[in-house]
Amino acid sequence: MTFCAAVSHRLLQRIPTVGRGSARAYSARPTTLQDEGRAKVTIRTIKKLYTDQQPITMMTAYDYPTSVACDRAGVDMVLVGDSLAMVALGHNDTSQITMDDMIHHSKAVARGSRSSFLVTDLPFGTYQSDETTAVNNAIRMIKEGRAEAIKLEAGRRAAPKIDAIVNGAGIPVVGHIGLTPQTAVALGGFRVQGKSVANAQALVADALALQEAGCFAIVLEAMPSLVAETVTRLLRVPTIGIGAGPATSGQVLVLSDMVGMFDRFTPKFCRSFADLGPRMVSAVGEYNEAVRAGTFPAEGTHTYAMPAAAEERWRTYVQKEFGLELGAGSASGSSAQNADAVPQSS
């Protein structure tokens, strides 16, 4: 089970599901995702939410199970953020993740997202050099990563590239201004942006330029609420805030942060909706002790049995052929469920 898979295991337990059969599911025989009645979210959906002044929800997901959790929870937009470099892959910053890494994770998230609109980050170094490179990598993320839109961390200097991606290649783009983790070193670290009037003016200029370049939404990260409100009221496209206050058109958080699964730090702006990290440690510890104590797996509860006749013949064969007296094993006459169940893959 992946680091993020454990997160969604707890989340999925809280979300009602419909249309499941009575047969037990395993990772080798997963349940089939059912249509639970939610229409597919599209850019038109996002625009309507914005026009109707309905808050837009976005959440990060990094693999199939976290994507399923977000989708079933009813999140409008799922973001495969390059934050996965830190929270899922253990890197020190987001600049170390590659295009192949992002495509790999985006494909996994796409498999679990039935209704939510899927946006994927282009990682550092894949769009900064020139328009052709930016367009080619955006196309690759759509074709190979199965994303429906891409996100760029860039200000007004990237407007020509965004224009080429949107109007040249026809690919939707979400902008991202304020604290841009890919270039945090140039910003002096992970610091709030726009605290001075001059810096706030620069953020407004960036936002307006990205809108004119064709972004259908813009993420505002780590800036004073008043600045985010100003930007939001000046734009004609939705803003998605993360550490930008309540006046934005919507909100996004990093899943690992809001469920307590990232062990290094929790940003000030993040609200904790669960504390699954300690629960995971506790569960693994209980498993560890159960194995050492010999209480797991329990014969007859976590095991499979042979039919009674086959068991007796097998015991006779093993005793004669190898001189082994086998243990008690499961009770004879095992149920059809035990006989037919598919073992969980490792």
Side-chain angles (χ1 to χ4, degrees), residues 155-227:
R156 54 191 178 276
R157 287 180 294 181
K161 299 183 182 73
I162 293 171
D163 177 73
I165 294 170
V166 174
N167 299 309
I171 296 173
V173 173
V174 176
H176 184 151
I177 63 172
L179 172 58
T180 48
Q182 291 181 3
T183 54
V185 173
L187 299 174
F190 292 88
R191 298 178 178 275
V192 176
Q193 301 297 302
K195 296 182 74 172
S196 71
V197 171
N199 288 341
Q201 290 172 333
L203 290 176
V204 169
D206 284 340
L208 291 171
L210 296 190
Q211 174 181 258
E212 293 308 310
C215 289
F216 76 91
I218 300 176
V219 170
L220 309 181
E221 180 168 1
M223 63 181 66
S225 298
L226 284 179
V227 177

Side-chain angles (χ1 to χ4, degrees), residues 62 99-109 111 145:
Y62 305 123
M99 187 71 177
D100 287 341
D101 290 333
M102 293 301 300
I103 287 174
H104 172 80
H105 286 270
S106 185
K107 287 192 294 186
V109 171
R111 296 183 195 111

Side-chain angles (χ1 to χ4, degrees), residues 299-317:
E299 191 67 65
T301 301
H302 308 116
T303 58
Y304 303 98
M306 302 174 76
E311 180 179 323
E312 184 60 31
R313 283 163 37 204
W314 180 249
R315 288 178 180 277
T316 300
Y317 167 77

Side-chain angles (χ1 to χ4, degrees), residues 279-297:
R279 295 185 189 179
M280 175 183 280
V281 173
S282 177
V284 174
E286 289 180 21
Y287 158 80
N288 195 42
E289 292 303 316
V291 171
R292 289 175 173 168
T295 60
F296 177 83

